[in-house]
Amino acid sequence: MLYLLFNPNVSKSYNYKKGNPRLFMNTTQKTDSEWLFEITPKNKFFSLNLKEVWQYRDLLMLFVKRDVVTVYKQTVLGPLWYLIQPLFTSVTFTIIFNSVAGINTGSVPPFLFNLAGITVWNYFTACLNDTSDTFKRNSAIFGKVYFPRIIMPLSVVISNLIKLGIQVFIFVVFYIFYYFKGASVNINGYILFFPLLIVMMGILGLGLGMIISSLVTKYRDFSNLIGFGVQLLMYLSAVMYPMALIKEKLPTYGWLVQYNPLAYVIETARFMLLNVGHISILGLVYTFLVTVAVFLIGVLIFNKTEKSFIDTV
């Protein structure tokens, strides 16, 4: 255990007997010494270290800036990729699922219907993908200097909010376009709770990402399954179709969507943004409980892994 002491009234006399330096205080002066930092091994199995994270908030913001700037720094289009990806995906879904497969979106234009779901879905996948290799990608930094390791996945969740803001802006642009074009689209009063949905998606992606990043340190093949798993999960999350449709067309397999917490978030987001579909209170409560459980499990596994991951990465 190491104690660090700062006090201007402490005398500068040392004793190096037996290689053990000791610091003596001048007893002739009044001192009111306090320990500034206490460096000890982490013994707690579960700890969010919120106080320590707050002390390192400047470092957190630097990592957020790094995540935003460096990803597209040497690209031709730069941040425009934030716009291109959801637009091309929405166009593809509109052609395949609405024009070819004939999925009906009611009075809402299919493109706008798909763009609303993809905008929310992209935030979750960005949080999950970018945090799923936290230990592997940052092993060089972790092995050289100490800081709360949870800062890394937290910076990913925060930086992805900036990307989400850009994609929400492009959604608003197309929303206004279709509105003046005469499309039946309306925002209801529940839109005020839309940030809570985003927070829930971010926490769920953070929890799953911490679990996967911990497993990747020992089982490298988990990283190869992320891309496939995310694509499969998208089809089970009602991103490109209403939840009521899957229950009507495929009642035998409808439970796969019904027990998927992400589906309720997507469905609720579309109801808030486009006033289509419905809000399931029980579904949102179920999603909240799953989110909290996944996040707590993720923190437990993450705290355990950070103590020994350097030996396996």
Side-chain angles (χ1 to χ4, degrees):
M1 182 180 298
L2 174 64
Y3 292 96
L4 302 180
L5 176 65
F6 174 79
N7 195 307
N9 296 322
V10 177
S11 64
K12 298 181 180 179
S13 59
Y14 300 88
N15 183 357
Y16 289 93
K17 184 179 180 181
K18 296 182 181 180
N20 183 20
R22 292 181 295 171
L23 184 64
F24 293 93
M25 291 187 296
N26 188 346
T27 57
T28 60
Q29 299 178 358
K30 292 184 179 181
T31 61
D32 187 16
S33 59
E34 293 183 359
W35 302 112
L36 296 181
F37 299 96
E38 180 179 343
I39 303 175
T40 60
K42 291 184 178 180
N43 298 319
K44 295 181 180 180
F45 185 57
F46 178 83
S47 177
L48 291 177
N49 297 323
L50 295 180
K51 182 179 179 181
E52 194 175 18
V53 170
W54 176 252
Q55 292 175 342
Y56 284 84
R57 60 188 180 276
D58 293 334
L59 180 63
L60 176 61
M61 291 299 104
L62 286 176
F63 282 135
V64 170
K65 182 179 179 180
R66 181 202 65 174
D67 293 339
V68 175
V69 174
T70 59
V71 174
Y72 300 109
K73 188 174 183 180
Q74 293 180 326
T75 59
V76 177
L77 298 178
L80 289 178
W81 285 111
Y82 298 154
L83 308 179
I84 294 174
Q85 191 271 338
L87 290 179
F88 272 81
T89 306
S90 299
V91 171
T92 303
F93 283 179
T94 302
I95 295 174
I96 296 177
F97 293 99
N98 302 112
S99 299
V100 178
I103 294 179
N104 185 19
T105 59
S107 59
V108 177
F111 175 80
L112 200 61
F113 180 92
N114 293 321
L115 186 60
I118 290 170
T119 299
V120 179
W121 171 256
N122 281 346
Y123 178 65
F124 168 77
T125 56
C127 294
L128 176 60
N129 290 330
D130 294 342
T131 58
S132 60
D133 61 345
T134 298
F135 290 114
K136 182 180 177 181
R137 184 173 58 181
N138 301 288
S139 58
I141 300 177
F142 288 167
K144 294 179 180 179
V145 64
Y146 172 78
F147 56 89
R149 307 309 189 201
I150 199 172
I151 280 183
M152 282 297 189
L154 281 177
S155 67
V156 170
V157 174
I158 296 175
S159 63
N160 283 324
L161 286 174
I162 300 176
K163 304 175 187 178
L164 174 66
I166 297 175
Q167 295 182 1
V168 169
F169 172 76
I170 197 65
F171 171 81
V172 172
V173 171
F174 279 95
Y175 183 93
I176 295 174
F177 169 77
Y178 280 107
Y179 179 80
F180 284 104
K181 195 177 179 180
S184 179
V185 289
N186 298 290
I187 294 178
N188 54 50
Y190 292 99
I191 191 65
L192 297 176
F193 298 98
F194 183 73
L196 297 179
L197 287 182
I198 300 302
V199 171
M200 194 179 301
M201 291 287 275
I203 294 176
L204 184 57
L206 175 63
L208 287 174
M210 289 192 295
I211 294 174
I212 296 173
S213 65
S214 301
L215 295 176
V216 168
T217 59
K218 292 185 178 180
Y219 310 102
R220 298 297 179 88
D221 52 348
F222 268 94
S223 59
N224 299 326
L225 297 175
I226 297 300
F228 171 76
V230 168
Q231 291 295 325
L232 180 61
L233 186 61
M234 180 180 65
Y235 291 103
L236 298 177
S237 300
V239 176
M240 69 291 292
Y241 56 83
M243 287 187 65
L245 180 65
I246 196 68
K247 296 177 182 179
E248 177 185 350
K249 298 293 185 180
L250 297 173
T252 305
Y253 302 99
W255 62 272
L256 292 173
V257 179
Q258 187 175 0
Y259 287 100
N260 182 1
L262 295 171
Y264 292 102
V265 177
I266 300 295
E267 186 80 1
T268 303
R270 275 199 296 256
F271 178 78
M272 293 178 176
L273 297 173
L274 302 173
N275 201 24
V276 62
H278 68 283
I279 292 180
S280 174
I281 302 300
L282 292 178
L284 290 178
V285 172
Y286 164 74
T287 301
F288 175 78
L289 295 177
V290 171
T291 299
V292 172
V294 170
F295 176 73
L296 294 179
I297 294 173
V299 172
L300 288 174
I301 299 177
F302 191 89
N303 287 345
K304 182 179 180 181
T305 304
E306 71 169 313
K307 299 176 183 179
S308 59
F309 81 96
I310 201 67
D311 298 326
T312 56
V313 171

